[in-house]
Amino acid sequence: MNTSLEQTLLSSIRTIPDYPRPGVMFRDITTLLGDARAFRRAIDELVHPHAGSKIDKIAGIEARGFILGGAIAHQMSAGFVPIRKKGKLPHETVRIAYSLEYGLDEMEMHKDAVAPGERVILVDDLIATGGTAEAAVKLLRQMGADIVAACFVIDLPDLGGRRKLEALGVEVRTLIAYEGH
């Protein structure tokens, strides 16, 4: 990635120390979303590798993945699939449980959101430990989706999430990395 883009993105992301608990450096993309130039550049960079490819759906992980995923789906003329926390979707759903640092959680999507063989890109703001993204990949594959890639604005490589997805055979695309998170 070019230095200009990296600088634009780095300068548009706010870091909040000790949130949500001591020792965590929270990477807040709401400032990037509020900066029209940075937001546009981030979306363009996430779309670029797949421009001209046949992509059927963009799947976004709640909640920031909805914002990024909706913009990417629009740019790629693809449908959008929300992957949500349990109990938030109104129609028949499929669900998967996954581990968090402090226990278990579940995510779900509508049963009819993805047809077998559809080409899907998974999107979220950040990849850290990869638990949520890994569960989303498994959920999409359970429905027969062909996962083309997983895209994130931020990578925290020390936490190993990228490696988890790559071990599942998923191409991972990130725009910037924070070493030492």
Side-chain angles (χ1 to χ4, degrees):
M1 177 184 353
N2 72 49
T3 307
S4 168
L5 174 64
E6 189 169 2
Q7 277 305 88
T8 297
L9 296 178
L10 286 170
S11 68
S12 68
I13 295 170
R14 174 174 36 215
T15 298
I16 302 169
D18 299 320
Y19 182 84
R21 62 180 185 274
V24 173
M25 299 294 279
F26 185 81
R27 308 303 177 172
D28 177 17
I29 70 154
T30 61
T31 46
L32 179 144
L33 298 173
D35 179 334
R37 181 173 174 261
F39 185 33
R40 176 63 185 228
R41 289 193 73 190
I43 296 303
D44 288 348
E45 280 298 312
L46 292 171
V47 166
H48 180 73
H50 306 286
S53 299
K54 170 78 171 97
I55 302 299
D56 299 298
K57 304 275 173 68
I58 304 299
I61 299 172
E62 188 172 352
R64 290 168 297 275
F66 290 4
I67 299 164
L68 298 167
I72 292 168
H74 173 76
Q75 287 289 97
M76 299 192 76
S77 298
F80 178 77
V81 176
I83 297 179
R84 302 212 57 190
K85 293 177 179 151
K86 179 182 169 184
K88 301 287 185 177
L89 292 170
H91 192 57
E92 282 186 75
T93 61
V94 290
R95 179 177 304 142
I96 190 166
Y98 62 101
S99 296
L100 299 168
E101 293 175 46
Y102 50 86
L104 287 177
D105 205 351
E106 292 181 281
M107 64 172 56
E108 60 187 15
M109 59 187 258
H110 281 136
K111 220 176 203 176
D112 59 0
V114 176
E118 283 191 314
R119 293 171 48 83
V120 177
I121 294 175
L122 179 66
V123 178
D124 205 357
D125 64 325
L126 178 142
I127 179 93
T129 63
T132 304
E134 179 183 35
V137 165
K138 290 177 179 177
L139 184 62
L140 288 161
R141 284 185 173 162
Q142 177 183 321
M143 297 309 299
D146 172 13
I147 311 298
V148 175
C151 299
F152 307 89
V153 173
I154 300 167
D155 185 6
L156 303 179
D158 297 348
L159 299 179
R162 171 189 283 268
R163 289 188 301 276
K164 277 186 187 169
L165 295 186
E166 289 172 342
L168 292 173
V170 176
E171 174 192 328
V172 178
R173 171 129 172 97
T174 61
L175 301 182
I176 56 175
Y178 287 94
E179 301 293 332
H181 58 282

